[in-house]
Amino acid sequence: MSQVKKPSIQPIFIPANEPLPIMSGRGTEIPSLVLLFNDDVHSFEDVIIQLMKAVGCSALIGYLYALEVHTIGRATVFLGPMIRCLTIAEVLREIDLKVEVRPMM
C-alpha cells in the first residue's frame, strides 16, 4: 500500500508593489493570520496610524502591536478569513510595511 503525501501549506508572499488578487469562493474563508515585521524605517506613529486604518483598532491597541513588533521582531495583528487578511495586508503595505499572510492550518 502506497502512502499518500499531504501537501504542505506555505505562506503567501505578495510583493508590496503588486496588487492583490480580488477573489471569492474556494479558499477565501481559510482561517489565516497577518504578521507584521519590524523594520528600521517606520516610526511608531507611522505603524500605529496604519494599523488603525488597516485593522480598525484603537491607538492604544496599535501602540501595543507596534511595541510587540519593536521588541520581539513581529506580531500577529489580525486573525480571520484569508480574504480579509489579504485586504488588511494590502493596507499595511501601502506604506511599505513588511507583512506576511499565513493560513492557520
Side-chain angles (χ1 to χ4, degrees):
M1 180 185 250
S2 65
Q3 291 182 334
V4 177
K5 286 187 176 180
K6 290 184 179 180
S8 64
I9 297 174
Q10 300 297 320
I12 297 172
F13 297 99
I14 299 175
N17 58 352
E18 290 185 24
L20 290 174
I22 302 302
M23 55 186 175
S24 62
R26 190 174 181 178
T28 60
E29 296 302 316
I30 295 171
S32 303
L33 57 87
V34 178
L35 281 173
L36 177 61
F37 293 91
N38 192 33
D39 65 31
D40 294 327
V41 178
H42 298 89
S43 68
F44 267 63
E45 185 177 357
D46 291 337
V47 175
I48 292 166
I49 290 169
Q50 204 64 16
L51 281 165
M52 290 169 62
K53 182 178 174 183
V55 181
C57 64
S58 67
L60 175 60
I61 298 299
Y63 171 77
L64 294 174
Y65 282 140
L67 185 61
E68 183 177 346
V69 168
H70 179 72
T71 56
I72 297 174
R74 70 177 183 268
T76 299
V77 297
F78 185 80
L79 301 168
M82 174 69 76
I83 191 73
R84 182 77 178 115
C85 288
L86 291 171
T87 301
I88 287 169
E90 183 175 349
V91 174
L92 293 172
R93 287 186 180 118
E94 287 175 356
I95 64 167
D96 296 323
L97 291 172
K98 185 178 176 189
V99 179
E100 187 178 304
V101 175
R102 292 184 185 174
M104 295 189 319
M105 296 179 162

